[in-house]
């Protein structure tokens, strides 16, 4: 055995430990291996992603799926509880991304420093009988706190907001960023992908197709009647009976409630939400990479309607949202649905704005 082998072993152990159990912030300068400079051997080239709320019901499967994404080189997992265990567990996966855990408010800023994409599933889940508005008082404060840290530590990052009610939490984040002087409407996106995923699945069931071959634009917002599937624009082109339109629209709008009731108090739509969030995050990363024609639906600052925020198709690129597409031709049913959606959306958006401005 070479004389230096023991030292090399210790260095390797320190390097691995730095990933799994980040040193206390006050001890950073005395750590044998600086975590910020610590990279796994063979670590993949790619983007740095932070998941805020990584130990929660959505956060854990979301973090696992992001660890599997080849576009992610460094994955920061932050939560106020249980992050060390989640980080240790996910770090054992033999994929390229280096996983680093951050626990508690004192490590939030470090978790965000230098990241390219921030995903926010933090907050409490829906329970039976609970509306998305019932979540507001708790989740609004969480999103405000996280947004303040984002504005300070990674103002140029793309931010994906999952925390409900999205119709209000995205305006909250926007107001925080405006106060900090960092608001870029191209980089703040509310994740409505689960509505699209559900729409694709439910429409495919009716048509007898593979959901992967179906694309349903879903516009408006991310709650109840604000969720407006444009069934007249489904690809591949098809037609539905009035009964099918009513059935599909109602099921897409109430998909979250369907899962909450089926879980009977044991949770909300965590797994499908994590899948949809990762699908959207991957689109954002492909846009950042420079891929052409990356188009998804998202809740963004918009002039598609008279409302300041609206979900519609957007093209993603190196700066975030590079183009917002118009709604296209709507049939009479969809035009009526749009008016209902806008009325509900207006109050939800204002609720978020008022929360920060009060």
């Amino acid at each position: 055995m070479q004389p230096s082998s023991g030292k090399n072993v210790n260095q390797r152990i320190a390097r691995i430990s730095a990933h799994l159990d980040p040193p206390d912030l006050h001890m950073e300068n005395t750590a044998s291996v600086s975590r910020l400079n610590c990279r796994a051997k063979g670590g993949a080239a790619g983007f740095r992603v932070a998941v805020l709320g990584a130990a929660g019901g959505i956060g854990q499967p979301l973090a696992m799926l992001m660890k599997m994404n080849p576009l992610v080189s460094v994955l920061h997992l932050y939560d106020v509880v249980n992050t060390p265990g989640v980080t240790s567990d996910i770090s054992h996966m033999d994929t390229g991304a280096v996983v680093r855990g951050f626990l508690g408010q004192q490590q939030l800023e470090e978790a965000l420093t230098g990241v390219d994409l921030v995903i926010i599933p933090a907050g409490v889940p829906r329970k039976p009988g609970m509306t998305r508005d019932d979540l507001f008082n708790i989740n609004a404060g969480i999103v405000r706190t996280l947004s303040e840290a984002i504005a300070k530590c990674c103002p140029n990052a793309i931010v994906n907001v999952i925390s409900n009610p999205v119709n209000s939490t995205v305006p909250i984040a926007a107001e925080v960023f405006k106060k900090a002087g960092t608001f870029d409407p191209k980089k703040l996106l509310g994740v409505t992908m689960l509505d699209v995923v559900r729409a694709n699945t439910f429409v495919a069931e009716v048509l007898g197709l593979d959901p992967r071959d179906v694309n349903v634009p879903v516009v408006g917002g991310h709650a109840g009647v604000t969720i407006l599937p444009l069934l007249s624009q489904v690809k591949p082109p098809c037609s539905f009976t009035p009964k099918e339109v009513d059935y599909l629209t109602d099921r897409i709008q109430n998909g979250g409630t369907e899962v909450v009731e089926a879980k009977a108090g044991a949770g909300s739509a965590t797994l499908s939400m994590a899948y949809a969030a990762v699908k959207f995050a991957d689109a954002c990363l492909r846009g950042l990479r420079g891929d052409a024609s990356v188009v998804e639906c998202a809740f963004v600052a918009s002039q598609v309607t008279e409302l300041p925020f609206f979900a519609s198709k957007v093209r993603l690129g190196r700066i975030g949202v590079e183009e917002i597409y118009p709604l296209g031709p709507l049939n009479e049913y969809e035009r009526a649905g749009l008016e209902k959606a806008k009325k509900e959306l207006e109050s939800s958006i204002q609720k978020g704005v008022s929360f920060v401005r009060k």
Side-chain angles (χ1 to χ4, degrees):
M1 179 180 289
Q2 297 297 321
S4 61
S5 61
K7 180 180 179 181
N8 290 340
V9 168
N10 289 336
Q11 286 178 338
R12 288 197 298 274
I13 292 172
R15 188 177 300 116
I16 294 169
S17 298
H19 290 316
L20 302 185
D21 188 17
D24 184 84
L25 290 177
H26 301 295
M27 300 175 62
E28 182 70 36
N29 292 333
T30 62
S32 59
V33 176
S34 170
R35 189 178 49 73
L36 293 177
N37 296 322
C38 183
R39 292 298 303 273
K41 184 177 180 181
F47 298 100
R48 300 166 71 96
V49 177
V51 179
L52 308 184
I58 297 171
Q60 290 197 41
L62 191 161
M64 182 186 75
L65 293 171
M66 290 306 294
K67 176 73 164 77
M68 297 167 65
N69 190 310
L71 295 180
V72 179
S73 61
V74 178
L75 183 62
H76 285 187
L77 305 182
Y78 168 84
D79 214 319
V80 293
V81 293
N82 301 329
T83 324
V86 175
T87 303
S88 176
D89 196 356
I90 289 176
S91 71
H92 292 183
M93 296 167 59
D94 59 349
T95 60
V98 174
V99 184
R100 297 169 180 164
F102 301 84
L103 178 64
Q105 185 74 27
Q106 72 276 12
Q107 293 193 343
L108 174 58
E109 292 186 3
E110 192 181 7
L112 289 168
T113 300
V115 301
D116 304 297
L117 173 66
V118 181
I119 308 172
I120 310 179
V124 298
R126 289 177 69 194
K127 297 178 181 178
M130 181 184 285
T131 68
R132 283 182 170 85
D133 276 344
D134 292 333
L135 303 177
F136 181 84
N137 288 332
I138 298 174
N139 289 357
I142 293 172
V143 171
R144 178 172 61 184
T145 298
L146 298 177
S147 297
E148 288 168 349
I150 291 168
K152 179 179 179 181
C153 302
C154 55
N156 296 318
I158 291 177
V159 180
N160 290 355
V161 179
I162 299 169
S163 307
N164 276 318
V166 167
N167 295 351
S168 300
T169 54
V170 170
I172 286 172
E175 289 301 310
V176 170
F177 295 156
K178 288 174 184 176
K179 278 191 171 185
T182 64
F183 179 55
D184 183 346
K186 296 180 177 63
K187 295 182 181 294
L188 176 61
L189 304 97
V191 179
T192 61
M193 178 66 84
L194 181 53
D195 302 321
V196 175
V197 165
R198 285 175 174 148
N200 293 345
T201 300
F202 302 158
V203 166
E205 288 176 358
V206 169
L207 297 177
L209 298 175
D210 186 324
R212 293 169 294 182
D213 297 328
V214 176
N215 191 309
V216 185
V218 182
V219 303
H222 184 56
V225 297
T226 70
I227 301 169
L228 181 60
L230 301 183
L231 298 175
S232 67
Q233 299 181 24
V234 170
K235 293 182 180 179
C238 57
S239 60
F240 301 98
T241 66
K243 186 176 181 180
E244 287 173 335
V245 170
D246 284 336
Y247 163 77
L248 286 168
T249 300
D250 180 73
R251 193 175 181 203
I252 293 163
Q253 290 179 338
N254 295 292
T257 302
E258 180 181 318
V259 175
V260 169
E261 291 178 350
K263 288 191 174 181
S268 59
T270 53
L271 303 176
S272 54
M273 181 66 250
Y275 165 79
V278 169
K279 187 174 181 180
F280 186 73
D282 179 71
C284 290
L285 294 178
R286 286 185 286 115
L288 281 174
R289 185 174 64 178
D291 290 17
S293 302
V294 180
V295 178
E296 299 292 352
C297 292
F299 187 65
V300 297
S302 170
Q303 295 181 337
V304 165
T305 69
E306 64 274 20
L307 299 175
F309 295 91
F310 198 80
S312 63
K313 282 187 175 183
V314 301
R315 180 168 57 82
L316 302 167
R318 293 188 186 277
I319 60 172
V321 177
E322 294 196 335
E323 184 177 1
I324 300 174
Y325 293 98
L327 297 182
L330 306 181
N331 60 30
E332 184 178 352
Y333 186 94
E334 292 162 349
R335 287 194 295 270
L338 177 60
E339 293 309 309
K340 291 179 185 177
K342 288 195 294 185
K343 184 177 180 181
E344 180 77 20
L345 261 178
E346 184 175 16
S347 62
S348 297
I349 292 169
Q350 187 55 49
K351 189 173 184 178
V353 171
S354 299
F355 178 80
V356 179
R357 291 185 180 178
K358 67 183 178 182

